[in-house]
């Protein structure tokens, strides 16, 4: 009796680790770096590199495996993908390949021929789990923050209260469903400073803007606040953004909601300030990277 998990452990994981170790080395990571990223010993990395670990050619040549390994290698090497996210993505692919008739199911049936008579499906994990969805949002947010950090001149757009780039899960209902930068993004001696890794539930103001917009018809899942300037607003309009002014009140959700209800195509919201209120522009977008790209275009 052989379980499909045994095929995963004995054939799939050694093959994927070997492929991933090779891809990471090609992207300039040292043997020590690869060991740290994959959570294995340097001696294990050396064995993969010298072909001392048996791999399965059918698994290695599967297009989905090749594609995922390439994507994970890019993300892990650049720091845009966490080890947790990589683990989740590999786990999801495993469950896909375990489904009846697919690659791992075929290998399992070959090892246990009687299974072919049952047409069983071994898909036991939901690809759209909350953990996977949350990790995707955080990964997108990290990439967006990287764009801002590498954009010379972004500090000129940071308001006195600081900026925050936020992104939410598809079914977001409150600030715990929105990820942002703890402590906001600040200009420290002319340098864009992101004080900590993005987390869920740490932004209130910008999170409430995107939540209010979504609650009233907007499809935006990400947003950022920047300093208000009439020239900046004009540039955004010239780029094709629909802009709208709203009143800054204690109930920002109602103010934003009223504007979006009138036109859910609005992607730029702004308020010109008042007594003790700094004027701000809020840029909405489909994801954190697109919002960051919009900001970069203003510099």
């Amino acid at each position: 009796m052989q379980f499909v998990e045994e095929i995963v452990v004995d054939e799939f994981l050694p093959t994927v680790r070997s492929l991933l170790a090779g891809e990471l080395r090609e992207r300039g990571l040292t043997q020590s770096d690869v060991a740290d990223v994959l959570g294995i010993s340097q001696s294990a990395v050396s064995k993969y590199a010298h072909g001392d670990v048996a791999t399965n050619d059918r698994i290695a040549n599967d297009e989905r495996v090749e594609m995922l390994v390439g994507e994970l290698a890019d993300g892990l090497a650049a720091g845009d993908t966490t080890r947790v996210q990589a683990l989740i993505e590999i786990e999801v692919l495993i469950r896909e390949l375990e489904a009846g008739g697919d690659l791992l199911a075929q290998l399992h049936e070959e090892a246990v021929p009687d299974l072919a008579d049952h047409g069983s499906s071994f898909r036991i994990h939901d690809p759209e789990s909350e953990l996977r969805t949350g990790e995707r949002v955080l990964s997108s947010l990290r990439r967006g923050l990287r764009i801002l950090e590498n954009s010379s001149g972004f500090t000129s757009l940071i308001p006195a209260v600081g900026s925050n780039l936020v992104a939410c899960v598809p079914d977001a209902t409150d600030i715990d469903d929105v990820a942002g930068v703890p402590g906001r993004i600040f200009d420290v001696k002319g340098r864009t400073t992101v004080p900590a890794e993005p987390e869920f539930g740490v932004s209130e103001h910008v999170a409430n803007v995107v939540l209010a917009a979504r609650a009233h018809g907007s499809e935006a899942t990400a947003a950022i606040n920047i300093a208000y300037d009439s020239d900046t607003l004009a540039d955004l309009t010239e780029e094709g953004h629909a802009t709208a002014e709203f009143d800054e009140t204690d109930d920002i959700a109602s103010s934003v909601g009223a504007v979006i209800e009138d036109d859910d195509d609005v992607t730029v919201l702004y308020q010109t300030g008042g007594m003790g209120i700094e004027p701000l522009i809020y840029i909405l977008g489909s994801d954190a990277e697109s919002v960051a790209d919009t900001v970069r275009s203003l510099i």
Side-chain angles (χ1 to χ4, degrees):
M1 180 170 64
Q2 185 177 33
F3 293 99
V4 69
E5 285 79 6
E6 293 178 72
I7 294 173
V8 171
V9 172
D10 296 338
E11 299 188 46
F12 182 86
L13 292 180
T15 300
V16 170
R17 284 192 180 118
S18 179
L19 293 172
L20 196 48
E23 293 284 340
L24 289 171
R25 289 286 281 152
E26 287 182 7
R27 285 160 175 75
L29 273 70
T30 66
Q31 188 168 292
S32 175
D33 291 334
V34 173
D36 183 58
V37 168
L38 298 184
I40 58 178
S41 66
Q42 289 192 48
S43 62
V45 175
S46 179
K47 288 180 180 179
Y48 287 131
H50 291 90
D52 296 334
V53 177
T55 58
N56 184 301
D57 289 341
R58 286 170 65 183
I59 293 172
N61 295 327
D62 186 276
E63 289 184 0
R64 292 161 295 181
V65 173
E66 292 178 338
M67 182 178 297
L68 180 60
V69 167
E71 291 175 351
L72 293 182
D74 287 339
L76 289 167
D80 295 330
T81 299
T82 66
R83 289 172 57 180
V84 170
Q85 185 184 11
L87 177 64
I88 292 169
E89 296 296 336
I90 293 172
E91 176 79 2
V92 169
L93 179 58
I94 289 171
R95 300 314 163 193
E96 179 181 337
L97 298 179
E98 285 178 350
D102 218 320
L103 178 60
L104 291 179
Q106 292 172 13
L107 294 174
H108 195 200
E109 288 176 2
E110 290 168 12
V112 187
D114 291 346
L115 283 172
D117 298 331
H118 298 282
S120 300
S121 170
F122 297 95
R123 187 188 296 273
I124 60 174
H125 287 263
D126 178 9
E128 298 304 326
S129 68
E130 289 185 10
L131 180 57
R132 186 185 189 205
T133 300
E135 283 294 326
R136 279 177 164 173
V137 170
L138 289 172
S139 180
S140 171
L141 195 49
R142 291 187 190 97
R143 289 192 291 270
L145 290 169
R146 188 182 297 274
I147 290 171
L148 296 179
E149 287 179 300
N150 294 331
S151 297
S152 176
F154 171 61
T155 53
S156 65
L157 298 176
I158 299 177
V161 295
S163 288
N164 210 335
L165 177 64
V166 306
C168 68
V169 297
D171 57 352
T173 58
D174 58 41
I175 62 172
D176 288 334
D177 298 321
V178 185
V181 178
R184 300 188 182 183
I185 307 164
F186 285 100
D187 171 5
V188 178
K189 296 181 178 180
R191 181 168 183 170
T192 299
T193 302
V194 179
E197 283 289 298
E199 299 176 18
F200 280 93
V202 296
S203 170
E204 183 173 351
H205 194 80
V206 185
N208 278 327
V209 169
V210 73
L211 286 170
R214 289 178 57 77
H216 291 83
S218 172
E219 296 183 357
T221 64
I224 191 173
N225 65 315
I226 61 174
Y228 173 84
D229 183 271
S230 58
D231 290 338
T232 300
L233 194 62
D235 289 341
L236 288 165
T237 302
E238 188 174 337
E239 287 183 10
H241 290 276
T243 67
E245 184 175 5
F246 71 98
D247 294 326
E248 180 70 80
T249 66
D250 291 336
D251 187 1
I252 191 171
S254 295
S255 298
V256 170
V259 170
I260 298 298
E261 276 189 347
D262 289 338
D263 184 358
D264 59 14
D265 289 328
V266 168
T267 53
V268 173
L269 296 159
Y270 67 95
Q271 49 86 14
T272 54
M275 183 67 68
I277 298 175
E278 185 177 10
L280 296 171
I281 292 174
Y282 299 84
I283 301 172
L284 308 178
S286 58
D287 54 48
E289 296 105 310
S290 64
V291 170
D293 281 335
T294 297
V295 172
R296 180 168 56 183
S297 73
L298 299 171
I299 300 169

